Amino acid sequence: MKKVLMEGAIPPEKIGKSIANHQVKTHIGAHQIFLGQVRADVIDGKTVEAIEYTAQEQLAEETFHTIREDAFAKYDLSCMHISHSLGRVAAGQICLSVFVSSAHRDQCTEACSYLVERIKKEVPIFGKEIFEDQTHTWKENK
Amino acid sequence: MVKVVYYGQLVDLLGRDSDEQSEWVGVTISEWLEGVYQMCPQLKQLPLKFAINNQLVEPDAQLNDQDELSVLPPFAGG
């Protein structure tokens, strides 16, 4: 099973490297990339400076695996790479990366959106929003 | 023995990340939850999900000896 969770923010270089790695796969005609970035939300006058992610890690990895398999069955995809952060990710940094490739754009565009929606809804990941004064609140996906 | 593991904001609310009790063997998650609600009524506000041994289950699932129950508050990935 491909591991999705990684410690800390997703470095922009990792995404650049992914693009480079696909240049030998010339049957691919389209990539769709979704990047989730930590937003400095202002809640009751306090600004979020980071989100600290935790997860029920085993169930999270198994759920990512199921979602991946479902997307491969539903869409005609060449490859798929998903990463999600654990631990502290500062505002402005990347916490989720979904990279989907296919021969034609319609398949990867739809698959990417499908993946992001399912990840947000179904994967047991929890986010503690830490304010600049080091108090916190808990993020909930709507 | 049944082990219960709490995640996310539940650790804040309960002040611990797990509990272990032999008297929970044979009870359903709903029955177990009634006891927790008495101890921490704020939990009633939270929509919770449950997994036994890493499989999502409904609250009517029964806890068996050696089970590990994960209690999951709202998700926030992405």
Side-chain angles (χ1 to χ4, degrees):
Chain A
M1 202 162 69
K2 225 168 159 178
K3 201 169 177 328
V4 170
L5 297 169
M6 57 173 277
E7 198 55 39
I10 299 164
E13 297 75 23
K14 185 178 161 75
I15 296 138
K17 195 166 175 287
S18 268
I19 297 169
N21 288 345
H22 287 81
Q23 290 182 331
V24 292
K25 299 182 183 177
T26 49
H27 59 287
I28 290 172
H31 303 299
Q32 184 79 17
I33 302 171
F34 174 87
L35 301 175
Q37 174 169 300
V38 172
R39 192 175 48 235
D41 271 344
V42 179
I43 303 168
D44 296 332
K46 293 195 286 188
T47 305
V48 172
E49 71 165 25
I51 296 181
E52 191 178 289
Y53 289 103
T54 53
Q56 207 288 25
E57 292 187 33
Q58 192 171 338
L59 182 58
E61 292 287 4
E62 285 172 15
T63 309
F64 275 120
H65 180 74
T66 304
I67 295 171
R68 276 177 63 86
E69 294 299 305
D70 289 351
F72 270 123
K74 192 172 164 72
Y75 301 99
D76 187 11
L77 302 174
S78 306
C79 38
M80 186 191 307
H81 303 273
I82 305 172
S83 298
H84 196 295
S85 298
L86 285 180
R88 193 180 173 100
V89 181
Q93 293 188 310
I94 303 298
C95 56
L96 169 64
S97 156
V98 177
F99 189 128
V100 197
S101 311
S102 57
H104 302 282
R105 70 181 184 282
D106 58 337
Q107 291 296 294
C108 65
T109 303
E110 286 175 33
C112 189
S113 175
Y114 168 87
L115 284 160
V116 173
E117 292 309 313
R118 284 198 61 187
I119 289 167
K120 284 183 169 273
K121 198 166 160 225
E122 296 176 32
V123 183
I125 294 173
F126 314 102
K128 184 198 268 189
E129 292 182 304
I130 302 166
F131 298 113
E132 286 165 338
D133 65 0
Q134 301 309 302
T135 56
H136 67 263
T137 188
W138 289 89
K139 182 175 176 264
E140 289 182 23
N141 286 342
K142 301 293 173 227
Chain B
M1 192 72 83
V2 172
K3 186 175 184 186
V4 180
V5 184
Y6 308 109
Y7 289 89
Q9 58 192 294
L10 299 177
V11 179
D12 269 4
L13 286 168
L14 294 165
R16 58 191 183 280
D17 59 14
S18 67
D19 278 320
E20 226 165 330
Q21 292 276 347
S22 53
E23 63 205 44
W24 293 331
V25 174
V27 308
T28 65
I29 294 171
S30 300
E31 289 164 341
W32 169 83
L33 202 53
E34 284 306 311
V36 179
Y37 283 160
Q38 281 180 8
M39 211 166 49
C40 185
Q42 307 99 292
L43 279 192
K44 286 186 190 174
Q45 318 294 330
L46 279 181
L48 300 174
K49 288 188 177 169
F50 305 95
I52 294 179
N53 304 329
N54 301 308
Q55 297 288 322
L56 282 176
V57 292
E58 296 299 321
D60 60 358
Q62 186 179 295
L63 298 164
N64 294 310
D65 195 23
Q66 304 300 316
D67 276 352
E68 182 172 304
L69 171 67
S70 298
V71 189
L72 309 166
F75 302 162

